[in-house]
Amino acid sequence: MKLREDHVRVPAPDCEIRSVVLAPVGEGPWPGVLLYTDIFQLTESTLRTARRLASAGFVVCIPEIYPRDLAGVALEFDDAGKKAGLAGAAGTTTVQFDSDRVAVLDFMEQRGDITTLHAVGFCLGGHLAFRAAFDPRVAATVCFYPTGLHNGELGADADAGSLARAASIHGRLMVIFGSRDPHVPADARAQTIAALYAAGLNDLELHVYAGGEHAFMRDVGARYDPTLTDLALTEAVSFLNGR
């Protein structure tokens, strides 16, 4: 499927959020996906994944997650890039993340080529996608190896209270982990899953991919696993389409 790619600036209360919108070429409208990046922002690696998702028949909007301090910056996958990405997170509060989410969902909702709204995210973005599920407009959410859910760590806040609000999720939820993820080890996964069940979310979909490392879907570096990536994207597309 051919895609149209537009660079837009989404107005938010205290900033503009640079975003990329990928839309299928052809008859619409299409389901919309708010896609949250990892800490490195709008890298070509993330955009390649987003294009694969869009080609399955979605309008995908990918906003920068640090629109204030790192606007227009795509970080490198090296120590300096990681340091800058973590600093960007540390300088962003949960209130700011949530405010940006509302702005982007408002922007998507107003587009004539989008029907239902969904959310997807990777790493820190997986945590942000989880919080996007609090919005009643979001029909389905996929969190790829989300970090900070088990202990609440999100950006500048030691505990964003995300799991404590899990009962407010009324849309469908899928969470995908890698079994060898040091950021979300087995005990953290168990803690997260137990909290989700305790919140009454017993109709969710959970996957733990054997051998998957953190960021196994990033197609740069030794962690990349193309087989697991294909499997994860296939599962995500099927899930977002309601099976």
Side-chain angles (χ1 to χ4, degrees):
M1 180 179 290
K2 292 184 177 180
L3 301 175
R4 184 179 71 253
E5 187 165 325
D6 298 312
H7 293 250
V8 301
R9 298 195 180 193
V10 176
D14 65 337
C15 65
E16 286 188 324
I17 306 171
R18 299 179 188 222
S19 307
V20 175
V21 177
L22 305 168
V25 174
E27 291 294 328
W30 314 88
V33 174
L34 164 55
L35 189 150
Y36 282 114
T37 72
D38 57 20
I39 64 170
F40 299 93
Q41 296 216 104
L42 294 174
T43 63
E44 277 300 319
S45 176
T46 292
L47 289 175
R48 284 191 289 271
T49 301
R51 291 179 188 117
R52 291 186 62 181
L53 186 59
S55 69
F58 299 95
V59 175
V60 180
C61 181
I62 315 105
E64 290 184 334
I65 59 175
Y66 308 134
R68 297 163 186 83
D69 298 331
L70 290 171
V73 179
L75 299 169
E76 297 292 333
F77 298 126
D78 55 20
D79 289 342
K82 180 179 179 181
K83 181 178 180 181
L86 292 174
T92 307
T93 66
T94 301
V95 170
Q96 289 173 319
F97 281 131
D98 288 348
S99 174
D100 294 348
R101 176 189 72 239
V102 172
V104 177
L105 287 175
D106 286 348
F107 164 78
M108 296 177 69
E109 186 178 42
Q110 292 162 10
R111 289 178 62 100
D113 58 349
I114 289 179
T115 55
T116 52
L117 293 173
H118 306 303
V120 166
F122 303 83
C123 186
L124 169 65
H127 193 153
L128 296 179
F130 183 88
R131 293 187 67 84
F134 300 156
D135 192 306
R137 294 174 292 182
V138 176
T141 300
V142 180
C143 305
F144 294 103
Y145 36 85
T147 56
L149 277 181
H150 67 290
N151 58 15
E153 290 183 3
L154 180 63
D157 296 307
D159 188 356
S162 299
L163 277 180
R165 292 184 57 187
S168 67
I169 296 175
H170 297 293
R172 299 164 59 244
L173 178 66
M174 171 188 280
V175 185
I176 295 177
F177 296 111
S179 67
R180 297 181 183 175
D181 188 339
H183 300 286
V184 194
D187 59 341
R189 298 195 299 269
Q191 186 176 342
T192 299
I193 293 167
L196 294 176
Y197 282 136
L201 300 182
N202 53 13
D203 190 23
L204 72 159
E205 191 158 326
L206 299 165
H207 299 264
V208 180
Y209 289 161
E213 299 185 55
H214 189 69
F216 67 81
M217 298 177 71
R218 185 195 302 153
D219 64 356
V220 175
R223 301 179 192 175
Y224 177 51
D225 190 317
T227 299
L228 293 184
T229 296
D230 288 348
L231 178 61
L233 285 174
T234 298
E235 291 286 356
V237 168
S238 176
F239 180 80
L240 293 174
N241 280 327
R243 302 253 187 250

